[in-house]
Amino acid sequence: MPREKSAETRMTLYRLLGLPSTSDAIREKYMEGFAEEQVKVGDREATLFHGRTEEKDVGWGPTARGLSGKAIDVKNSVPAAVLLIPDLERDDPEIEAKEAKTDQAVWAVTFGMGFHLLEPRYIDNGFGQRVAIRSADQTKLNSVTKVTLDERSKTERSSIPSGASLRNFGFEDIGELATRLVASGSIEGLGNPAKPVTIRGADALSLPLSKKPESFLEDLERIKKTLTLPPVSDELGFLEKLTIIKDKELIEELDEDLLDAILDPDGKRLGLAWPHETIDEFGTPQAYRLAGTREGTRDGLPTLNELLEPVRDAGAEDRKRKFDSLAVILFESKDEQLASGRLPVRKWISFETDKDGSKYFLHSGRWYIMENDYAGVVQKRTDEIFGRAAPLPPLPAWTATHHDELAYNKEVAQVVGGLCLDRKLIQGETRKGKIEACDVLMQDGTFIHVKHTDSSSPASHLLAQALVSAEILTYDEAAKLSLAERITEQGADPAAYTLTPKKVVIVMAKEERALTADSLYTFTQVNLGRQDRALASRGVEVYVVPIVKEKKP
């Protein structure tokens, strides 16, 4: 007996907000060459954009010809479609009444490469993830993509095919922002309640939806109702402690703070973020072009300075326009096989600023405010670390007589009975390049790191240095042998020293007054908390010792 065809199929759904008109949902470059038709989905007016991109020679053609001597006449084009369905409900708190001519909310169903057609500025960031947080089985998460909110802005994706809870993915309660969830779950009224489906939630939502127009519209209403529900657990609800900002005037003020930070060479609350979700389906690109400049295609991926240099070079009146116009186009190789559409530079920037007693983050092109309880968790963790009593005698004062950091470290070594290893680098097997094991080493495995900190960047650099050193020396035998060689060179016996770190003491020196837990930028507090956890998992205790560095006359 033939199997009955399913009434549902997996679709990719976006929610667009703030549209001046439906046609503004489509990027300008696709307005020509793509057909625009007014259609109906059930009893609702809708708009369908569909077509193919212009045929072009394949990017790898010249390489194949160069190697084989044979020209390849192969062209490529990409089919794509977007179905735009206005959300006309009056009780939707995110949009105005259906009679309004501006700021309408629109559902966008994309087909093929249709997501390329959408104008990124109107995409409701995190819409799919918010649905997943309210409909997933909290014990059946299959994949979590997260971005660290420290200066590294690192993106990681972890998968557990059989499903697990959030804690099994190593998700930290501070310093990590989830950008994509894949989980088994269900939405009331959608599909078979006895048979959970895989829900993929990021900016877009991917799940089976009805192929029948009337039922499809009902599915949209069920999804919208899901957004009004509480998260399925406090654990998943914590992922929403960073709240998106939609106040246009506030966004403009925050953008001004961002431009000021871009111009400030010492402004270290800027980071490079990877717009992972936008290019997820293309693998890892090998080249890029910075649209909005005259630069050609470059190998590799852009650095923060490469992205911001055109903004810094622009005149004051043109700076905002320049920043908004810059975009990154990724390629599979320098031969220009396309790997992405235009990704606004704004989506590559991670930034933090304080305003009116609140903390704001820029992530994936959108502004977020940190909830007080989230900030409280970060601050409480930092206070606890600063409150630990370091296993050291009182450290000497850092006076003007110490002409540099090395001179101070030598005195510290004398006071604590340790060995000064400042500027003595070690080499391991698992890391390229040499690192500093510590500034002062004690026989019981206490590694002391000393740094003059005047801003968040040096403090974060010091923390990262301590973590890398301690982490490598817990398992890298080549690094331990290299450390033993440095000890021998200083005239000491390596056998008298514990080469695996047991304690890490971070001495933070600041002019005029000592650092406190709440004087650290949030980025640095997050970094400290994360690294404390990482070292604790390896049996390494962390201590922070703030000291005052005397100002030179």
Side-chain angles (χ1 to χ4, degrees):
M1 182 176 179
R3 184 178 178 180
E4 183 179 350
K5 290 186 177 181
S6 173
E8 298 178 332
T9 188
R10 183 167 291 275
M11 301 186 198
T12 299
L13 181 69
Y14 288 83
R15 187 162 168 81
L16 309 180
L17 299 177
L19 284 174
S21 66
T22 302
S23 61
D24 287 302
I26 304 300
R27 293 165 57 196
E28 187 176 354
K29 65 180 291 185
Y30 293 112
M31 292 304 292
E32 294 184 10
F34 275 71
E36 176 183 353
E37 298 185 52
Q38 300 306 309
V39 298
K40 274 199 168 186
V41 178
D43 61 357
R44 191 173 302 185
E45 301 288 342
T47 305
L48 178 66
F49 286 86
H50 60 94
R52 301 181 67 93
T53 59
E54 182 182 352
E55 286 195 349
K56 294 182 179 180
D57 292 327
V58 292
W60 45 262
T63 301
R65 179 179 181 179
L67 293 174
S68 67
K70 180 71 174 179
I72 298 178
D73 184 19
V74 177
K75 296 184 182 296
N76 186 33
S77 65
V78 178
V82 175
L83 179 61
L84 300 172
I85 307 169
D87 184 348
L88 303 180
E89 289 298 311
R90 292 176 179 269
D91 60 352
D92 189 335
E94 295 182 311
I95 62 173
E96 297 175 11
K98 65 180 182 180
E99 291 84 4
K101 302 297 183 183
T102 61
D103 291 340
Q104 56 180 303
V106 172
W107 301 101
V109 189
T110 62
F111 303 92
M113 302 296 282
F115 63 91
H116 272 309
L117 277 61
L118 295 177
E119 179 56 60
R121 78 184 73 174
Y122 298 119
I123 292 175
D124 182 7
N125 295 88
F127 151 69
Q129 181 174 279
R130 294 197 301 276
V131 174
I133 287 172
R134 288 158 174 79
S135 56
D137 181 338
Q138 61 174 317
T139 67
K140 296 293 184 181
L141 302 184
N142 303 118
S143 178
V144 176
T145 301
K146 60 186 180 182
V147 177
T148 58
L149 290 179
D150 58 22
E151 292 182 335
R152 293 166 293 174
S153 295
K154 180 174 64 174
T155 299
E156 297 179 30
R157 170 170 294 180
S158 302
S159 297
I160 302 177
S162 60
S165 63
L166 187 63
R167 68 177 68 91
N168 294 113
F169 287 85
F171 200 93
E172 292 281 354
D173 58 350
I174 64 169
E176 293 184 339
L177 174 67
T179 59
R180 183 176 186 264
L181 295 178
V182 179
S184 177
S186 60
I187 294 176
E188 184 179 356
L190 267 178
N192 182 353
K195 187 178 179 181
V197 298
T198 298
I199 299 171
R200 302 186 181 101
D203 288 344
L205 175 66
S206 172
L207 79 170
L209 297 173
S210 177
K211 293 184 284 188
K212 298 179 180 180
E214 296 80 4
S215 298
F216 174 76
L217 292 178
E218 292 174 359
D219 288 348
L220 294 183
E221 293 305 308
R222 294 184 179 104
I223 290 171
K224 190 167 65 174
K225 181 180 179 181
T226 301
L227 289 171
T228 67
L229 300 176
V232 295
S233 69
D234 291 341
E235 186 178 56
L236 288 183
F238 199 80
L239 301 182
E240 295 188 314
K241 294 301 182 180
L242 297 179
T243 306
I244 194 167
I245 297 171
K246 298 178 181 178
D247 185 324
K248 294 180 180 179
E249 291 185 4
L250 177 55
I251 290 173
E252 289 177 0
E253 292 178 17
L254 294 170
D255 281 350
E256 287 298 322
D257 291 344
L258 172 60
L259 288 174
D260 290 343
I262 290 173
L263 293 179
D264 180 5
D266 295 323
K268 299 302 183 183
R269 290 194 280 182
L270 275 172
L272 185 65
W274 175 247
H276 187 82
E277 295 307 319
T278 311
I279 60 166
D280 177 54
E281 307 203 8
F282 297 96
T284 302
Q286 301 297 321
Y288 77 96
R289 182 187 302 155
L290 187 55
T293 71
R294 296 181 180 180
E295 297 290 338
T297 304
R298 301 180 182 180
D299 279 326
L301 295 171
T303 65
L304 184 62
N305 282 335
E306 287 169 342
L307 294 179
L308 300 183
E309 187 177 4
V311 182
R312 292 167 176 156
D313 291 342
E317 295 182 357
D318 197 42
R319 200 163 285 133
K320 178 68 164 60
R321 186 201 62 79
K322 188 66 176 178
F323 178 70
D324 290 341
S325 69
L326 291 174
V328 176
I329 302 174
L330 298 172
F331 299 91
E332 293 180 6
S333 68
K334 203 172 180 182
D335 293 332
E336 301 192 359
Q337 183 69 31
L338 190 67
S340 81
R342 291 168 60 97
L343 307 176
V345 162
R346 185 184 189 85
K347 286 202 168 188
W348 289 75
I349 302 299
S350 175
F351 178 60
E352 172 201 347
T353 187
D354 299 319
K355 183 181 289 291
D356 301 327
S358 297
K359 296 184 182 298
Y360 297 87
F361 289 94
L362 180 71
H363 170 71
S364 192
R366 303 294 293 271
W367 283 103
Y368 295 81
I369 183 171
M370 178 185 286
E371 289 191 12
N372 290 334
D373 55 349
Y374 187 102
V377 170
V378 175
Q379 187 65 57
K380 184 177 180 180
R381 182 78 54 80
T382 308
D383 291 339
E384 189 273 324
I385 296 171
F386 268 68
R388 298 170 188 167
L392 297 176
L395 296 179
W398 190 334
T399 68
T401 61
H402 298 97
H403 58 274
D404 60 12
E405 193 171 299
L406 176 59
Y408 179 73
N409 286 333
K410 287 180 178 178
E411 185 172 349
V412 170
Q414 292 176 350
V415 169
V416 302
L419 185 66
C420 182
L421 295 178
D422 188 7
R423 307 180 189 179
K424 309 301 180 184
L425 305 182
I426 64 172
Q427 176 73 63
E429 287 183 342
T430 56
R431 181 180 175 89
K432 294 181 179 179
K434 296 182 178 182
I435 63 170
E436 192 175 72
C438 60
D439 291 308
V440 177
L441 177 64
M442 298 176 66
Q443 290 184 345
D444 65 353
T446 298
F447 285 62
I448 302 173
H449 297 261
V450 179
K451 195 71 175 179
H452 177 209
T453 59
D454 267 342
S455 68
S456 177
S457 181
S460 294
H461 173 73
L462 171 60
L463 297 171
Q465 180 189 63
L467 174 64
V468 169
S469 165
E471 180 182 27
I472 289 177
L473 285 166
T474 57
Y475 64 83
D476 191 324
E477 294 302 321
K480 293 179 185 178
L481 289 174
S482 183
L483 175 57
E485 291 173 0
R486 303 290 85 78
I487 293 172
T488 301
E489 290 170 359
Q490 300 306 303
D493 180 8
Y497 290 83
T498 300
L499 303 183
T500 299
K502 300 300 180 184
K503 300 180 179 68
V504 173
V505 179
I506 304 169
V507 180
M508 294 183 175
K510 185 176 176 61
E511 292 180 351
E512 298 183 349
R513 62 183 182 276
L515 283 170
T516 61
D518 57 4
S519 68
L520 292 179
Y521 287 145
T522 303
F523 272 5
T524 304
Q525 291 190 25
V526 165
N527 204 6
L528 176 60
R530 287 175 51 77
Q531 294 181 14
D532 175 59
R533 281 283 185 90
L535 288 173
S537 69
R538 292 176 171 84
V540 182
E541 301 171 15
V542 174
Y543 304 88
V544 176
V545 179
I547 64 171
V548 177
K549 180 179 180 290
E550 184 178 304
K551 214 171 189 179
K552 288 188 177 182

